Amino acid sequence: ALKFTDPDNNTPPSEINYTITQAPKLGEITLHGEPLSTNSTFSQSDINSKYISYKQTHSINDYNIQV
């Protein structure tokens, strides 16, 4: 989950920041190839420059799901 706010909708990308409020369960978000964790931040500029990526590290089959 990410947290984002831009009250005036006119903020430059370098000042738009995202905070990871809950890390992904099946993978990791990386910045310049380094994993980010809960409470890590990155900017819209990082996204625009393609410095942010998602790497799947687990599959749904790795979990024991009972119905």
Coordinates of all heavy atoms in Angstrom, one line a residue:
A1 N 0.8 -1.2 0.0 CA 0.0 0.0 0.0 C 0.9 1.2 0.0 O 2.0 1.2 0.6 CB -0.9 0.0 1.2
L2 N 0.4 2.3 -0.7 CA 1.2 3.5 -0.7 C 0.3 4.7 -0.2 O -0.9 4.6 -0.3 CB 1.5 3.9 -2.2 CG 2.5 3.0 -2.9 CD1 2.6 3.4 -4.4 CD2 3.9 3.1 -2.3
K3 N 1.0 5.6 0.3 CA 0.3 6.9 0.8 C 0.8 8.0 -0.1 O 2.0 8.2 -0.3 CB 0.6 7.1 2.3 CG 0.0 8.4 2.8 CD 0.4 8.6 4.2 CE -0.2 9.9 4.8 NZ 0.2 10.2 6.1
F4 N -0.1 8.8 -0.6 CA 0.2 9.9 -1.4 C -0.8 11.1 -1.2 O -2.0 10.8 -1.1 CB 0.2 9.5 -2.9 CG 0.1 10.6 -3.9 CD1 1.2 11.4 -4.1 CD2 -1.1 11.0 -4.5 CE1 1.2 12.4 -5.0 CE2 -1.1 12.0 -5.4 CZ 0.0 12.7 -5.6
T5 N -0.2 12.3 -1.2 CA -1.1 13.5 -1.2 C -0.5 14.6 -2.0 O 0.7 14.7 -2.1 CB -1.3 14.0 0.3 OG1 0.0 14.3 0.8 CG2 -2.1 13.0 1.1
D6 N -1.3 15.3 -2.7 CA -0.9 16.5 -3.5 C -2.1 17.5 -3.4 O -2.9 17.5 -4.3 CB -0.6 16.1 -4.9 CG -0.1 17.3 -5.8 OD1 0.2 18.3 -5.2 OD2 -0.1 17.1 -7.0
P7 N -2.1 18.2 -2.3 CA -3.3 19.1 -2.1 C -3.6 20.1 -3.2 O -4.8 20.4 -3.4 CB -3.0 19.8 -0.8 CG -1.6 19.4 -0.4 CD -1.1 18.4 -1.3
D8 N -2.6 20.6 -3.9 CA -2.9 21.6 -4.9 C -2.8 21.1 -6.3 O -3.1 21.9 -7.3 CB -1.9 22.8 -4.7 CG -0.5 22.5 -4.9 OD1 -0.2 21.3 -5.3 OD2 0.4 23.4 -4.7
N9 N -2.5 19.8 -6.5 CA -2.4 19.2 -7.9 C -1.5 20.0 -8.8 O -1.6 19.9 -10.0 CB -3.8 19.1 -8.5 CG -4.6 18.0 -7.9 OD1 -4.1 17.0 -7.5 ND2 -5.9 18.2 -7.9
N10 N -0.5 20.7 -8.2 CA 0.4 21.4 -9.0 C 1.9 21.3 -8.5 O 2.7 22.1 -8.8 CB 0.0 22.9 -9.0 CG 0.7 23.7 -10.1 OD1 1.0 23.2 -11.2 ND2 0.9 25.0 -9.9
T11 N 2.1 20.2 -7.9 CA 3.4 19.9 -7.3 C 4.3 19.3 -8.3 O 3.9 18.4 -9.0 CB 3.3 18.9 -6.1 OG1 2.3 19.5 -5.2 CG2 4.6 18.7 -5.4
P12 N 5.6 19.8 -8.4 CA 6.5 19.2 -9.4 C 6.9 17.7 -9.0 O 6.8 17.4 -7.8 CB 7.8 20.1 -9.3 CG 7.6 20.9 -8.1 CD 6.2 20.9 -7.7
P13 N 7.2 16.9 -10.0 CA 7.4 15.5 -9.7 C 8.5 15.2 -8.6 O 8.4 14.2 -7.9 CB 7.9 14.9 -11.0 CG 7.3 15.8 -12.0 CD 7.2 17.2 -11.4
S14 N 9.5 16.0 -8.5 CA 10.5 15.8 -7.5 C 10.0 16.0 -6.1 O 10.7 15.6 -5.1 CB 11.7 16.8 -7.8 OG 11.3 18.1 -7.7
E15 N 8.9 16.7 -5.9 CA 8.4 17.0 -4.6 C 7.1 16.1 -4.3 O 6.6 16.2 -3.2 CB 8.0 18.5 -4.5 CG 9.2 19.3 -4.6 CD 8.9 20.8 -4.4 OE1 7.8 21.2 -4.0 OE2 9.8 21.6 -4.8
I16 N 6.7 15.3 -5.2 CA 5.6 14.3 -4.9 C 6.3 13.0 -4.4 O 7.1 12.4 -5.1 CB 4.8 14.0 -6.2 CG1 4.2 15.2 -6.7 CG2 3.8 12.9 -5.9 CD1 3.5 15.0 -8.1
N17 N 6.0 12.8 -3.1 CA 6.6 11.6 -2.5 C 5.6 10.6 -2.1 O 4.5 10.9 -1.7 CB 7.4 12.1 -1.2 CG 8.6 12.9 -1.6 OD1 9.4 12.5 -2.4 ND2 8.7 14.1 -1.0
Y18 N 6.0 9.3 -2.2 CA 5.2 8.2 -1.8 C 5.8 7.5 -0.7 O 7.1 7.4 -0.6 CB 5.1 7.2 -3.0 CG 4.5 7.7 -4.2 CD1 5.2 8.4 -5.2 CD2 3.1 7.6 -4.5 CE1 4.7 8.9 -6.3 CE2 2.5 8.1 -5.6 CZ 3.3 8.8 -6.6 OH 2.7 9.3 -7.7
T19 N 5.0 7.0 0.3 CA 5.5 6.2 1.4 C 4.9 4.8 1.3 O 3.7 4.7 1.2 CB 5.1 6.9 2.7 OG1 5.7 8.2 2.8 CG2 5.6 6.1 3.9
I20 N 5.8 3.8 1.4 CA 5.2 2.5 1.5 C 4.7 2.2 2.9 O 5.4 2.2 3.8 CB 6.4 1.4 1.1 CG1 6.9 1.7 -0.3 CG2 5.8 0.0 1.3 CD1 8.1 0.9 -0.7
T21 N 3.4 2.0 3.0 CA 2.8 1.8 4.3 C 2.6 0.3 4.6 O 2.5 -0.1 5.7 CB 1.4 2.5 4.3 OG1 0.6 1.9 3.3 CG2 1.5 4.0 4.2
Q22 N 2.7 -0.5 3.5 CA 2.7 -2.0 3.7 C 3.4 -2.6 2.6 O 3.1 -2.4 1.4 CB 1.3 -2.5 3.8 CG 1.2 -4.0 4.0 CD -0.3 -4.5 4.1 OE1 -1.2 -3.7 4.1 NE2 -0.4 -5.8 4.2
A23 N 4.5 -3.4 2.9 CA 5.3 -4.0 1.8 C 4.5 -5.0 1.1 O 3.6 -5.7 1.7 CB 6.5 -4.6 2.4
P24 N 4.7 -5.2 -0.2 CA 4.1 -6.3 -0.9 C 4.4 -7.7 -0.3 O 5.5 -7.9 0.2 CB 4.6 -6.2 -2.3 CG 5.4 -5.0 -2.4 CD 5.7 -4.5 -1.0
K25 N 3.4 -8.6 -0.4 CA 3.6 -9.9 0.2 C 4.3 -10.9 -0.8 O 4.8 -11.9 -0.3 CB 2.2 -10.5 0.6 CG 1.7 -9.7 1.8 CD 0.4 -10.3 2.3 CE -0.1 -9.4 3.4 NZ -1.2 -9.7 4.1
L26 N 4.2 -10.7 -2.1 CA 4.7 -11.6 -3.0 C 5.9 -11.1 -3.8 O 6.4 -11.7 -4.7 CB 3.6 -12.0 -4.0 CG 2.4 -12.7 -3.5 CD1 1.3 -13.0 -4.5 CD2 2.7 -13.9 -2.7
G27 N 6.4 -10.0 -3.4 CA 7.6 -9.4 -4.0 C 8.2 -8.2 -3.3 O 7.9 -8.1 -2.1
E28 N 8.9 -7.4 -4.0 CA 9.5 -6.3 -3.4 C 9.6 -5.1 -4.4 O 9.7 -5.3 -5.6 CB 10.9 -6.6 -2.9 CG 11.9 -7.0 -4.0 CD 13.2 -7.6 -3.5 OE1 13.3 -7.8 -2.2 OE2 14.1 -7.7 -4.3
I29 N 9.5 -3.9 -3.9 CA 9.6 -2.7 -4.6 C 11.1 -2.3 -4.5 O 11.6 -2.3 -3.3 CB 8.7 -1.6 -4.1 CG1 7.2 -2.0 -4.3 CG2 8.9 -0.3 -4.9 CD1 6.2 -1.1 -3.6
T30 N 11.7 -2.0 -5.6 CA 13.2 -1.6 -5.5 C 13.4 -0.2 -6.0 O 12.6 0.3 -6.9 CB 14.1 -2.6 -6.3 OG1 13.7 -2.5 -7.7 CG2 13.9 -4.0 -5.8
L31 N 14.4 0.5 -5.5 CA 14.8 1.8 -6.0 C 16.3 1.6 -6.3 O 17.1 1.3 -5.5 CB 14.6 2.9 -4.9 CG 15.2 4.2 -5.1 CD1 14.6 4.9 -6.4 CD2 15.0 5.1 -3.9
H32 N 16.6 1.9 -7.6 CA 18.0 1.6 -8.1 C 18.4 0.2 -7.8 O 19.6 0.0 -7.4 CB 19.0 2.6 -7.5 CG 18.7 4.0 -7.9 ND1 19.0 4.5 -9.1 CD2 18.2 5.1 -7.2 CE1 18.7 5.8 -9.2 NE2 18.2 6.2 -8.0
G33 N 17.5 -0.8 -7.8 CA 17.8 -2.2 -7.6 C 17.9 -2.6 -6.1 O 18.1 -3.7 -5.8
E34 N 17.7 -1.6 -5.2 CA 17.8 -1.9 -3.7 C 16.4 -2.0 -3.2 O 15.6 -1.2 -3.4 CB 18.6 -0.8 -3.0 CG 20.0 -0.7 -3.4 CD 20.8 -2.0 -3.1 OE1 20.6 -2.6 -2.0 OE2 21.6 -2.4 -3.9
P35 N 16.1 -3.1 -2.4 CA 14.7 -3.3 -1.9 C 14.3 -2.2 -0.9 O 15.1 -1.7 -0.2 CB 14.8 -4.6 -1.1 CG 16.1 -5.3 -1.6 CD 17.0 -4.2 -2.1
L36 N 13.1 -1.8 -1.1 CA 12.5 -0.8 -0.1 C 11.6 -1.6 0.8 O 11.0 -2.6 0.5 CB 11.7 0.2 -0.9 CG 12.4 1.1 -1.9 CD1 11.5 2.0 -2.6 CD2 13.5 1.9 -1.2
S37 N 11.4 -1.0 2.0 CA 10.6 -1.7 3.0 C 9.5 -0.7 3.5 O 9.5 0.5 3.1 CB 11.5 -2.2 4.2 OG 12.1 -1.1 4.8
T38 N 8.7 -1.1 4.4 CA 7.7 -0.3 5.0 C 8.3 1.0 5.6 O 9.4 1.0 6.1 CB 7.0 -1.0 6.2 OG1 6.4 -2.2 5.6 CG2 5.9 -0.2 6.8
N39 N 7.7 2.1 5.3 CA 8.1 3.5 5.6 C 9.2 4.0 4.7 O 9.6 5.2 5.0 CB 8.5 3.6 7.1 CG 7.3 3.3 8.0 OD1 6.2 3.7 7.8 ND2 7.5 2.6 9.1
S40 N 9.6 3.3 3.7 CA 10.5 3.8 2.7 C 9.8 4.8 1.9 O 8.5 4.7 1.7 CB 11.1 2.7 1.9 OG 11.9 1.9 2.6
T41 N 10.5 5.8 1.3 CA 9.8 6.8 0.4 C 10.6 6.8 -0.9 O 11.7 6.5 -1.0 CB 9.8 8.2 1.1 OG1 11.2 8.6 1.3 CG2 9.0 8.2 2.4
F42 N 9.8 7.3 -1.9 CA 10.4 7.6 -3.2 C 9.6 8.6 -3.9 O 8.4 8.9 -3.4 CB 10.5 6.3 -4.1 CG 9.2 5.6 -4.3 CD1 8.4 5.9 -5.4 CD2 8.8 4.6 -3.4 CE1 7.2 5.2 -5.6 CE2 7.7 3.9 -3.6 CZ 6.8 4.2 -4.7
S43 N 10.1 9.2 -4.9 CA 9.4 10.4 -5.5 C 8.8 10.0 -6.9 O 9.1 9.0 -7.5 CB 10.3 11.5 -5.7 OG 11.3 11.3 -6.7
Q44 N 7.9 10.9 -7.4 CA 7.4 10.7 -8.7 C 8.5 10.8 -9.7 O 8.5 10.1 -10.8 CB 6.3 11.7 -9.0 CG 5.6 11.6 -10.3 CD 4.9 10.3 -10.5 OE1 4.1 9.9 -9.6 NE2 5.0 9.6 -11.6
S45 N 9.5 11.6 -9.5 CA 10.7 11.7 -10.4 C 11.4 10.3 -10.5 O 11.8 10.0 -11.6 CB 11.7 12.7 -9.9 OG 11.2 14.0 -10.1
D46 N 11.4 9.6 -9.4 CA 12.0 8.2 -9.4 C 11.2 7.3 -10.3 O 11.8 6.6 -11.1 CB 12.1 7.6 -8.0 CG 13.0 8.3 -7.0 OD1 14.1 8.8 -7.5 OD2 12.7 8.4 -5.8
I47 N 9.9 7.5 -10.3 CA 9.1 6.7 -11.1 C 9.3 7.1 -12.6 O 9.5 6.2 -13.5 CB 7.6 6.8 -10.7 CG1 7.3 6.2 -9.3 CG2 6.6 6.1 -11.8 CD1 6.0 6.5 -8.8
N48 N 9.2 8.4 -12.8 CA 9.4 8.9 -14.2 C 10.7 8.5 -14.8 O 10.8 8.3 -16.0 CB 9.2 10.4 -14.2 CG 7.8 10.9 -13.9 OD1 6.9 10.1 -13.7 ND2 7.6 12.2 -13.7
S49 N 11.7 8.4 -14.0 CA 13.1 8.1 -14.5 C 13.3 6.5 -14.5 O 14.4 6.1 -14.8 CB 14.1 8.7 -13.5 OG 14.1 10.1 -13.6
K50 N 12.2 5.8 -14.2 CA 12.3 4.3 -14.2 C 13.3 3.7 -13.2 O 13.9 2.7 -13.4 CB 12.5 3.8 -15.6 CG 11.4 4.2 -16.5 CD 11.6 3.7 -17.9 CE 10.5 4.2 -18.8 NZ 10.6 3.8 -20.2
Y51 N 13.5 4.4 -12.1 CA 14.3 3.9 -11.0 C 13.6 3.0 -10.1 O 14.2 2.3 -9.3 CB 14.9 5.1 -10.2 CG 15.8 6.0 -10.9 CD1 15.8 7.4 -10.6 CD2 16.6 5.6 -12.0 CE1 16.6 8.3 -11.3 CE2 17.4 6.5 -12.7 CZ 17.4 7.8 -12.3 OH 18.2 8.7 -13.0
I52 N 12.3 3.0 -10.1 CA 11.4 2.2 -9.3 C 11.0 0.9 -10.1 O 10.6 1.1 -11.2 CB 10.2 2.9 -8.8 CG1 10.6 4.1 -7.9 CG2 9.2 2.0 -8.1 CD1 11.2 3.7 -6.6
S53 N 11.1 -0.2 -9.4 CA 10.5 -1.4 -10.1 C 10.0 -2.4 -9.1 O 10.2 -2.2 -7.9 CB 11.6 -2.1 -10.9 OG 12.7 -2.5 -10.1
Y54 N 9.2 -3.3 -9.5 CA 8.6 -4.3 -8.7 C 9.2 -5.7 -9.1 O 9.2 -6.0 -10.3 CB 7.1 -4.4 -8.8 CG 6.5 -5.5 -8.0 CD1 6.3 -5.5 -6.7 CD2 6.1 -6.7 -8.7 CE1 5.8 -6.5 -6.0 CE2 5.6 -7.8 -8.0 CZ 5.4 -7.7 -6.7 OH 4.9 -8.7 -6.0
K55 N 9.7 -6.4 -8.2 CA 10.2 -7.8 -8.5 C 9.4 -8.8 -7.7 O 9.4 -8.7 -6.5 CB 11.7 -7.8 -8.1 CG 12.3 -9.2 -8.3 CD 13.8 -9.2 -7.9 CE 14.4 -10.5 -8.1 NZ 15.8 -10.6 -7.6
Q56 N 8.8 -9.7 -8.4 CA 8.1 -10.8 -7.8 C 9.1 -11.8 -7.2 O 9.9 -12.3 -8.0 CB 7.1 -11.4 -8.7 CG 6.2 -12.4 -8.0 CD 5.0 -12.9 -8.9 OE1 4.7 -12.2 -9.8 NE2 4.5 -14.0 -8.5
T57 N 9.0 -12.1 -5.9 CA 9.9 -13.0 -5.3 C 9.2 -14.3 -4.8 O 9.9 -15.3 -4.5 CB 10.6 -12.4 -4.1 OG1 9.6 -11.9 -3.2 CG2 11.5 -11.2 -4.6
H58 N 7.9 -14.3 -4.8 CA 7.1 -15.5 -4.4 C 5.9 -15.6 -5.3 O 5.5 -14.7 -5.9 CB 6.6 -15.3 -2.9 CG 7.7 -15.2 -1.9 ND1 8.3 -14.0 -1.6 CD2 8.2 -16.1 -1.1 CE1 9.2 -14.2 -0.7 NE2 9.1 -15.5 -0.3
S59 N 5.4 -16.8 -5.3 CA 4.1 -17.0 -6.1 C 3.0 -17.3 -5.1 O 3.3 -17.7 -3.9 CB 4.3 -18.1 -7.1 OG 4.2 -19.4 -6.4
I60 N 1.8 -17.2 -5.5 CA 0.7 -17.5 -4.6 C 0.7 -19.0 -4.2 O 0.3 -19.3 -3.1 CB -0.7 -17.2 -5.4 CG1 -1.8 -17.2 -4.4 CG2 -0.9 -18.2 -6.5 CD1 -1.8 -16.1 -3.4
N61 N 1.4 -19.8 -5.0 CA 1.5 -21.2 -4.6 C 2.5 -21.5 -3.4 O 2.5 -22.5 -2.9 CB 2.0 -22.1 -5.8 CG 1.0 -22.0 -6.9 OD1 -0.2 -22.0 -6.7 ND2 1.5 -22.1 -8.2
D62 N 3.2 -20.4 -3.1 CA 4.1 -20.5 -1.9 C 3.4 -20.5 -0.6 O 3.9 -20.7 0.5 CB 5.2 -19.4 -1.9 CG 6.2 -19.6 -3.1 OD1 6.3 -20.7 -3.6 OD2 6.8 -18.6 -3.4
Y63 N 2.1 -20.1 -0.6 CA 1.3 -20.0 0.6 C 0.3 -21.1 0.7 O -0.2 -21.6 -0.3 CB 0.5 -18.6 0.5 CG 1.5 -17.5 0.7 CD1 2.1 -16.9 -0.5 CD2 1.8 -16.9 1.9 CE1 2.9 -15.8 -0.4 CE2 2.7 -15.9 2.0 CZ 3.2 -15.3 0.9 OH 4.1 -14.3 1.0
N64 N 0.1 -21.6 1.9 CA -0.9 -22.6 2.2 C -2.2 -22.0 2.4 O -2.5 -21.4 3.4 CB -0.4 -23.4 3.4 CG -1.3 -24.6 3.7 OD1 -2.2 -24.9 2.9 ND2 -1.2 -25.1 4.9
I65 N -3.1 -22.1 1.4 CA -4.4 -21.4 1.5 C -5.4 -22.5 1.8 O -5.5 -23.5 1.1 CB -4.7 -20.7 0.2 CG1 -3.7 -19.6 -0.1 CG2 -6.1 -20.1 0.2 CD1 -3.8 -19.0 -1.4
Q66 N -6.2 -22.3 2.8 CA -7.2 -23.2 3.2 C -8.6 -22.5 3.1 O -8.7 -21.4 3.5 CB -7.0 -23.7 4.7 CG -5.7 -24.5 4.8 CD -5.5 -24.9 6.3 OE1 -6.2 -24.5 7.2 NE2 -4.6 -25.8 6.5
V67 N -9.5 -23.2 2.6 CA -10.9 -22.7 2.4 C -11.8 -23.4 3.3 O -11.8 -24.5 3.5 CB -11.3 -22.8 0.9 CG1 -12.7 -22.2 0.7 CG2 -10.3 -22.1 0.0

